[in-house]
């Protein structure tokens, strides 16, 4: 049995949760005031600031005068800060966001005296498979965590191994991050209580000292803690006060033999609260949008802009990372907290969008105003369909798109806009008021091409790109005034726009590159490069995939290899008497899976895109009974529209669902029946594709529902589903169906009595906003049938293409000028290789400047990657950006990546 103990004073600080951020910050400032005063009064006192630098940033924003005090304690090793910016939920953001979290936390901690080199992850709801590699590639050798560890670990530490083989020694906080508090309950009995605790847990410690985490949520330790422990140490068992880093570096002696590989999502020693994957759908969608927007902004800024917008990008990243906190994006907070998270994510997306658009404005200036610029954020060539607003062709005339090299492509008309924008009658004395609508040349969002002024009538002709030469508003005002005086009485004012239409255009865009095109009427037509997309009354096809609407409104989808998935999109709605943390069915559930009405409408017939709409009406109960164990008898007829789409050349079927939610306390899932039962599934997210079985390891007090997270896609047998945002899925029916959660509506942060969880996860606080009542619920995904699974379907690349549309903007150069030639940016060739970042790094004072590229081999086999672009040197860096090796490049960079390897290079 261990003969000594190490106490680690700390707190765990949820930045926002059952109170909004600013309320929690008020408490934080008081708590850290106490910590600083205690540390400066008692030289034996140490404090670990929860592994997240945000707590220090939030404090110093209110107490800037205390910065030097913080720095002094950090440099003395008595205040441990970082390495994270925020303690995040690892499954509800991208792998790239996790890396930036570590980078920003580490950098900010270094400015304050140094970061704690421990991957401290105390309260996350499970842990991703690649976390050991992320830590190891940042030079961090230790982790410490609580939830998700399998029952096979019987000590207080294990070696945690990532899929690539990287591993970190991991301290297992098997009794939670507050295990020392029970020992401290009675200050003059600490010695006896410590002996009792050490004896009860002796089999865990071996020869290592007991680790007593002396802290809990949202409270500073008692200022007398160190003196209590000095007294207890003098009475018996030796006691040391340390930071977590000191405990791991100076006090542990035992060699660790236990090895755990991959993700940690077991329920054995702690609740992992899997319901957070699906509650408050809107936050998950906003997170995905913000991450996607900033990724595009960084790529456009690095490749196509002379302006360094790093300050704006850092701001956007900071807001995204703040929102990844394990009580933020998960949606387990109050309504006002979740509203604040949503607003913060919106700000991040808006900031990134401004950078993205400013970067594109530079090459757009070289494109004539009657043309469009298309930018490809992905590092491989692609043909994309873009929707643009164009001048409508005369009746009987086709539209043709012309590229910079003179090649042409067919155009599919989607809709036509009205030409009469206003038809008004007024007295001549009121004409001056009409002219006030005009701002220089703009009227109703268009530009005045020309006008006609006759007795009693004024007609404006608007255009997006005027062709009639200069326009002088002062001359118009004088002419109107003279005409009104000459012709008093009633006038007609007619505002006409040139006939316009929305057109669908296929554009070939180089890797990470730019292309431009213009659309004009043509007497001839062009053929598509692929089999055209077609539609009949209940079927769509493009030569690669075919989809047929079955009698029950589900979809039968045939893939490129002939694999057929029958009944795709069966919707199953059931009650949910759980809370924001855990799903729970009512004791007398009612599952609704059959629609009462089905209608099918063809929306587009090709040749570039074909679409149909399937509307199914369901009678869903509107609420649970008063005791929450029965679904109520009152129902709300709810139409669910499913938009089904195939595009020319795409080997998958795009599907989106939309409905107005009128029911509370329920869960809706989208089912994909499988041709044959399966025993495993796989989902992509955070630099890995993780395989899972039909069950989860239970224990602790939480029923191990096998609901799992998926990032960019989920695959089971012959079905792969590409996802728009982080989602929850489950294999149901003994592996016969894949079920993806579309909505989980609940009304309480936590419930005290939960059928599938013994311990309340929080207080029973109402959160009516989490019911999403009166909200339109929309989900989009794509279905890929393939007998060879996700690898045979090339799901890594398809998921990137599905999630990342090309960027389109109108040219701003003089109309009629020649289109600029296409331009290639950065090209990356390699099978199952993910490029998670392309960004500008460094400044005039930086050790290393250039374009940083992060690649991951998303496969269990080695990969050869070729990176081509305008660079002559490549520097391999670690995940904190520190140079490791330099390589001159003459043609292209060749990299050999090991299985699941994350590799970062800076090109210059």
């Amino acid at each position: 049995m261990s003969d000594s103990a190490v106490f680690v004073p700390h707190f765990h600080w949820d930045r926002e949760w059952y109170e909004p951020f600013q309320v929690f910050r008020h408490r934080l400032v008081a708590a850290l005031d106490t910590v600083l005063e205690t540390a400066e009064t008692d030289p034996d006192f140490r404090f670990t600031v929860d592994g997240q630098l945000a707590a220090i940033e939030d404090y110093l924003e209110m107490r800037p005068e205390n910065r030097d005090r913080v720095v002094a304690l950090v440099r003395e090793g008595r205040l441990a800060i970082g390495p994270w910016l925020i303690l995040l939920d690892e499954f509800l953001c991208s792998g790239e966001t996790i890396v930036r979290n570590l980078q920003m936390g580490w950098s900010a901690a270094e400015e304050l005296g140094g970061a704690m080199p421990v991957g401290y992850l105390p309260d996350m709801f499970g842990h991703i498979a690649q976390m050991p590699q992320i830590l190891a590639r940042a030079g961090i050798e230790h982790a410490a965590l609580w939830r998700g560890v399998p029952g096979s670990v019987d000590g207080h530490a294990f070696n945690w191994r990532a899929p690539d083989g990287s591993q970190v020694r991991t301290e297992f906080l098997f009794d939670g991050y507050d295990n020392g508090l029970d020992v401290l309950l009675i200050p003059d009995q600490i010695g006896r209580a410590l002996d009792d605790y050490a004896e009860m847990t002796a089999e865990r410690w071996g020869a290592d000292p007991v680790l007593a985490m002396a802290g809990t949520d949202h409270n500073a330790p008692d200022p007398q803690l160190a003196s209590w422990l000095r007294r207890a140490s003098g009475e018996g068992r030796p006691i040391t006060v340390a930071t977590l880093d000191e405990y791991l570096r100076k006090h542990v002696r035992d060699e660790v033999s236990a090895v755990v590989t991959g993700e940690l999502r077991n329920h054995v020693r702690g609740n992992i609260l899997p319901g957070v994957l699906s509650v408050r759908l809107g936050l998950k969608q906003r997170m995905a949008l913000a991450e996607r927007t900033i990724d595009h902004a960084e790529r456009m800024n690095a490749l196509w802009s002379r302006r360094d917008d790093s300050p704006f990008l850092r701001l956007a990243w900071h807001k995204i990372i703040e929102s990844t906190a394990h009580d933020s994006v998960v949606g387990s907070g109050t309504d006002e907290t979740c509203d604040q998270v949503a607003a913060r994510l919106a700000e991040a997306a808006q900031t990134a969008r401004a950078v993205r658009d400013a970067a594109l404005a530079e090459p757009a200036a070289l494109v004539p105003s009657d043309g469009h610029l298309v930018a490809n954020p992905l590092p491989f060539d692609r043909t994309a369909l873009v929707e643009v607003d164009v001048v409508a062709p005369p009746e009987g005339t086709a539209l043709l798109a012309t590229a910079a090299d003179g090649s042409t492509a067919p155009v599919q008309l989607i809709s036509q806009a009205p030409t009469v924008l206003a038809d008004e009658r007024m007295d001549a004395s009121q004409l001056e008021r009409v002219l006030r609508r005009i701002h220089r040349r703009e009227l109703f969002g268009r530009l005045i091409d020309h006008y006609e002024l006759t007795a009693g009538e004024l007609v404006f002709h608007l255009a997006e790109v005027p062709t009639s030469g200069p326009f002088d508003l002062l001359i118009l005002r004088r002419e109107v005034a003279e005409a009104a005086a000459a012709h008093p009485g009633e006038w007609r004012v007619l505002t006409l726009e040139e006939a316009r239409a929305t057109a669908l255009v296929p554009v070939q865009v180089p890797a990470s590159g730019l292309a431009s095109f213009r659309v004009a009427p043509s007497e001839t037509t062009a053929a598509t490069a692929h089999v055209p997309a077609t539609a009949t009354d209940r079927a769509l096809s493009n030569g690669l995939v075919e989809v047929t609407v079955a009698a029950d409104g589900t979809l039968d989808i045939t893939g490129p290899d002939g694999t057929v998935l029958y009944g795709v999109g069966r919707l199953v709605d059931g009650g949910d008497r759980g809370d924001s943390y855990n799903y729970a069915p009512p004791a007398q559930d009612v599952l609704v899976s059959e629609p009462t009405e089905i209608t099918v409408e063809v929306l587009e017939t090709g040749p570039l895109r074909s679409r149909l709409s399937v509307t199914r009406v369901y009678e869903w109960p509107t609420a649970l009974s008063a005791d929450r164990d029965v679904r109520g008898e009152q129902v709300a007829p709810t139409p669910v529209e499913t938009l089904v789409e195939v595009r020319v050349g795409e080997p998958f079927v795009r599907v989106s669902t939309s409905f107005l939610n009128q029911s509370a306390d329920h869960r809706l899932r989208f089912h994909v029946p499988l041709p044959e039962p399966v025993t495993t599934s796989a989902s992509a997210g955070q630099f890995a594709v993780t395989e899972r079985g039909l069950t989860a390891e239970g224990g602790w007090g939480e029923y191990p529902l096998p609901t799992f997270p998926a990032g960019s896609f989920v695959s089971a047998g012959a079905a792969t589903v590409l996802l728009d945002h982080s989602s929850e899925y489950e294999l149901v029916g003994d592996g016969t169906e894949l079920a993806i959660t579309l909505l989980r509506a609940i009304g309480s942060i936590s419930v005290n009595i939960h059928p599938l969880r013994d311990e309340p996860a929080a207080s029973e606080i109402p959160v009516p906003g989490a019911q999403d009542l009166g909200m339109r619920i929309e989900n989009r995904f794509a279905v890929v049938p393939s007998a060879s699974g996700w690898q045979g379907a090339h799901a890594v690349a398809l998921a990137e293409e599905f999630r990342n549309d090309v960027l389109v903007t109108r040219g701003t150069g003089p109309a009629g000028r020649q289109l600029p030639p296409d331009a290639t940016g950065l090209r990356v060739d390699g099978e199952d290789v993910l490029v998670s970042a392309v960004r500008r790094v460094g400044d005039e004072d930086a050790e290393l400047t250039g374009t940083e590229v992060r690649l991951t081999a998303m496969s269990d086999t080695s990969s050869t990657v070729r990176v081509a672009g305008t660079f002559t040197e490549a520097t391999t860096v670690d995940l904190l950006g520190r140079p490791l090796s330099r390589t001159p490049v003459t043609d292209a960079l060749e990299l050999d990546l090991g299985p699941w390897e994350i590799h970062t290079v800076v090109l210059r």
Side-chain angles (χ1 to χ4, degrees):
M1 185 171 69
S2 175
D3 61 355
S4 61
V6 176
F7 279 74
V8 175
H10 76 102
F11 57 41
H12 173 56
W13 206 273
D14 300 295
R15 196 166 182 261
E16 54 198 358
W17 181 18
Y18 56 82
E19 294 283 8
F21 163 58
Q22 296 296 357
V23 174
F24 265 129
R25 172 151 69 174
H26 192 269
R27 300 177 189 175
L28 171 71
V29 170
L32 281 176
D33 280 345
T34 299
V35 167
L36 296 187
E37 292 164 8
T38 303
E40 291 168 343
T41 301
D42 190 334
D44 289 339
F45 184 76
R46 304 285 191 274
F47 192 78
T48 299
V49 191
D50 206 26
Q52 55 178 335
L53 205 278
I56 296 297
E57 285 188 344
D58 295 340
Y59 175 75
L60 290 179
E61 190 173 3
M62 296 295 103
R63 293 278 194 269
E65 68 276 10
N66 288 345
R67 179 185 174 89
D68 291 344
R69 296 172 66 192
V70 169
V71 170
L73 290 170
V74 172
R75 288 178 175 167
E76 291 170 14
R78 298 202 294 129
L79 188 68
I81 61 174
W84 302 101
L85 178 60
I86 204 81
L87 291 181
L88 73 162
D89 185 284
E90 298 167 34
F91 293 96
L92 291 175
C93 62
S94 70
E96 188 62 32
T97 297
I98 296 173
V99 171
R100 302 303 179 91
N101 187 341
L102 185 57
Q103 290 177 344
M104 293 184 77
W106 188 277
S107 176
E110 287 292 295
E111 293 179 4
L112 293 170
M116 176 177 72
V118 179
Y120 187 48
L121 306 161
D123 199 29
M124 285 73 161
F125 307 152
H127 304 279
I128 61 169
Q130 287 281 41
M131 183 58 75
Q133 185 179 179
I134 291 172
L135 296 175
R137 288 185 180 271
I140 296 174
E141 299 176 350
H142 292 271
L145 50 82
W146 167 32
R147 304 182 194 265
V149 178
S152 59
V153 176
D154 55 10
H156 72 100
F158 60 95
N159 289 316
W160 186 14
R161 185 174 295 164
D164 78 312
S166 302
Q167 65 182 36
V168 292
R169 183 199 179 279
T170 302
E171 186 68 23
F172 177 27
L173 307 176
F174 59 89
D175 267 348
Y177 53 78
D178 59 355
N179 69 316
L181 292 189
D182 289 346
V183 176
L184 300 173
L185 282 175
I186 306 174
D188 60 3
Q189 294 291 315
I190 290 175
R192 188 268 310 156
L194 182 56
D195 287 342
D196 290 345
Y197 181 74
E199 184 175 351
M200 287 186 294
T201 59
E203 73 283 356
R204 290 269 181 191
W205 302 109
D208 286 338
V210 170
L211 171 62
M213 299 295 289
T216 188
D217 296 359
H218 322 134
N219 283 287
D222 192 295
Q224 300 182 69
L225 173 62
S227 63
W228 294 345
L229 295 176
R230 280 193 296 268
R231 184 169 66 247
S233 182
E235 296 170 353
R237 184 184 302 270
I239 295 174
T240 304
V241 178
T243 63
L244 181 60
D245 178 39
E246 287 176 321
Y247 172 78
L248 297 173
R249 284 189 296 107
K250 298 179 180 180
H251 295 281
V252 296
R253 300 183 293 274
D254 273 2
E255 291 293 324
V256 178
S257 58
V259 177
V260 179
T261 300
E263 71 176 4
L264 305 178
R265 288 196 62 82
N266 301 76
H267 307 252
V268 178
R269 296 292 304 184
N271 298 333
I272 65 166
L273 311 171
V276 299
L277 298 172
S278 51
V279 74
R280 296 198 192 259
L281 167 71
L283 290 183
K284 281 62 172 176
Q285 293 174 325
R286 288 181 176 89
M287 174 61 70
L289 175 62
E291 290 177 322
R292 188 157 51 239
T293 307
I294 196 169
D295 178 37
H296 293 174
E298 285 191 328
R299 297 182 190 219
M300 296 304 109
N301 182 256
L303 297 173
W304 304 114
S305 177
R306 294 183 298 273
R307 171 175 170 166
D308 182 0
D309 268 332
S310 296
F312 289 95
L313 293 169
R314 280 195 297 271
L315 173 64
W317 269 119
H318 201 289
K319 290 185 178 294
I320 289 172
I321 293 165
E322 289 177 72
S323 303
T324 65
H326 66 289
D327 287 304
S328 296
V329 70
V330 298
S332 61
T334 59
D335 287 348
E336 60 181 342
T337 296
C338 293
D339 288 346
Q340 188 173 24
V341 176
R344 190 185 300 129
L345 287 169
E347 268 196 88
Q350 292 156 8
T351 304
R353 188 178 74 203
V355 174
R356 179 199 69 194
D357 293 350
L360 287 177
E362 296 180 43
L366 303 177
V367 176
S369 58
D370 58 344
H372 289 83
L373 174 74
V374 180
N376 178 12
L378 299 179
F380 51 80
D381 298 345
R382 63 196 291 202
T383 298
L385 296 184
V386 300
E387 288 189 20
V388 292
D389 180 66
V390 297
V391 177
E395 190 172 348
T397 303
L399 286 176
L400 205 62
T402 304
D405 63 1
S407 61
T408 59
V411 173
Q412 179 178 329
L413 279 180
I414 303 300
S415 63
Q416 195 139 344
T419 57
V420 179
L421 300 185
D423 187 352
E424 306 165 274
R425 295 187 182 275
M426 62 190 68
D427 188 79
S429 62
Q430 302 298 308
L431 290 177
E432 175 62 27
R433 297 176 62 181
V434 172
L435 300 185
R436 293 176 190 170
R437 299 171 179 169
I438 303 170
H439 301 89
R440 288 163 294 281
R441 193 168 190 165
E442 179 271 327
L443 176 60
F444 295 162
R446 297 294 186 190
L447 299 177
I448 297 174
D449 182 78
H450 64 281
Y451 60 90
E452 299 171 81
L453 182 62
T454 58
E457 185 173 76
L458 173 60
V459 181
F460 292 107
H461 294 269
L462 309 185
E464 188 168 22
V465 181
T467 59
S468 61
F471 168 80
D472 193 323
L473 179 58
L474 293 178
I475 292 177
L476 171 63
R477 292 177 63 182
R478 175 173 54 79
E479 290 178 349
V480 168
E482 292 172 352
H487 304 282
E490 185 180 74
W491 274 65
R492 183 188 189 194
V493 179
L494 189 61
T495 307
L496 304 177
E497 182 178 16
E498 60 186 345
R500 303 200 66 81
T502 301
L504 194 63
V505 182
V507 185
Q508 295 182 6
V509 199
S512 305
L514 305 175
S516 58
F517 68 91
R518 57 163 52 95
V519 175
S522 173
E523 298 297 329
T524 62
T525 59
T528 64
H530 303 275
V531 175
T534 61
T536 61
D537 287 348
R538 300 180 74 91
L540 306 175
S541 178
N542 66 357
L544 294 174
V545 291
E546 183 176 333
V547 55
T548 302
V549 181
D552 63 355
T554 61
L555 310 175
D556 298 338
I557 301 177
T558 304
D561 64 356
T563 299
V564 184
L565 302 176
Y566 293 100
V568 173
R570 187 171 72 93
L571 298 180
V572 180
D573 183 77
D576 189 343
R577 63 142 301 167
D579 53 31
S580 65
Y581 294 101
N582 295 78
Y583 160 79
Q588 299 179 46
D589 201 1
V590 174
L591 297 180
V592 180
S593 60
E594 298 300 323
T596 60
E597 182 183 339
I598 302 168
T599 57
V600 181
E601 179 185 3
V602 176
L603 302 179
E604 296 176 15
T605 58
L608 301 176
R609 182 176 73 188
S610 57
R611 281 177 163 180
L612 53 80
S613 173
V614 182
T615 302
R616 291 172 284 176
V617 180
Y618 295 88
E619 293 191 347
W620 293 337
T622 58
L624 296 179
S625 62
D627 65 2
R628 299 183 56 77
D629 265 330
V630 180
R631 291 198 86 179
E633 295 182 359
Q634 182 178 348
V635 298
T638 305
V640 180
E641 181 183 356
T642 303
L643 180 65
V644 188
E645 173 183 321
V646 298
R647 297 183 181 184
V648 64
E650 284 189 345
F652 51 80
V653 176
R654 295 173 182 257
V655 180
S656 62
T657 60
S658 175
F659 64 94
L660 185 69
N661 183 42
Q662 305 171 73
S663 301
D665 299 305
H666 70 126
R667 181 180 69 173
L668 177 66
R669 302 206 285 190
F670 181 98
H671 285 237
V672 181
L674 305 175
E676 297 179 355
V678 299
T679 57
T680 61
S681 63
S683 74
Q686 300 83 31
F687 305 126
V689 179
T690 302
E691 187 171 294
R692 306 180 179 98
L694 295 176
T695 60
E697 185 179 22
W700 189 256
E702 180 179 62
Y703 184 82
L705 274 180
T707 52
F708 298 113
S712 58
F713 68 79
V714 57
S715 185
T720 296
V721 180
L722 313 179
L723 302 168
D724 174 71
H725 59 272
S726 294
S727 301
E728 170 192 88
Y729 78 92
E730 181 180 1
L731 285 178
V732 297
D734 294 325
T736 61
E737 288 188 281
L738 173 65
I740 300 171
T741 304
L742 301 185
L743 173 69
R744 203 167 70 82
I746 52 89
S748 182
I749 287 182
S750 176
V751 293
N752 294 335
I753 304 300
H754 193 293
L756 303 183
R757 188 190 66 233
D758 290 346
E759 181 185 4
S763 300
E764 199 168 77
I765 300 173
V767 284
Q771 297 282 17
D772 280 331
L773 287 169
M775 301 294 292
R776 180 151 292 278
I777 307 302
E778 297 180 342
N779 287 272
R780 74 179 189 104
F781 24 81
V783 181
V784 190
S786 173
S788 52
W790 66 268
Q791 286 181 299
H794 305 292
V796 172
L798 292 184
E800 284 294 279
E801 193 165 348
F802 172 69
R803 291 170 71 111
N804 295 275
D805 291 332
V806 294
L807 310 172
V808 185
T809 186
R810 178 172 286 279
T812 57
R817 73 154 41 154
Q818 188 173 352
L819 295 170
D822 293 355
T824 301
L826 189 77
R827 183 185 303 277
V828 178
D829 296 310
E831 190 77 12
D832 291 332
V833 173
L834 172 72
V835 177
S836 66
V838 178
R839 63 161 177 161
R840 185 196 308 259
V841 293
D843 53 33
E844 293 179 358
D845 301 321
E847 177 185 0
L848 187 63
T849 61
T851 302
E852 182 181 81
V853 182
R854 191 157 12 262
L855 313 100
T856 303
M858 297 286 282
S859 170
D860 57 6
T861 59
S862 298
S863 303
T864 299
V865 183
R866 187 176 188 273
V867 183
T870 56
F871 55 91
T872 58
E873 182 183 84
T875 302
T876 297
V877 298
D878 70 6
L879 281 186
L880 296 179
R882 296 173 296 207
L884 299 175
S885 63
R886 284 185 171 85
T887 304
V889 179
T890 54
D891 179 28
L893 176 65
E894 300 278 350
L895 295 171
D896 292 321
L897 301 185
W900 308 109
E901 179 184 346
I902 304 168
H903 190 94
T904 309
V905 292
V906 175
L907 310 173
R908 55 177 300 175

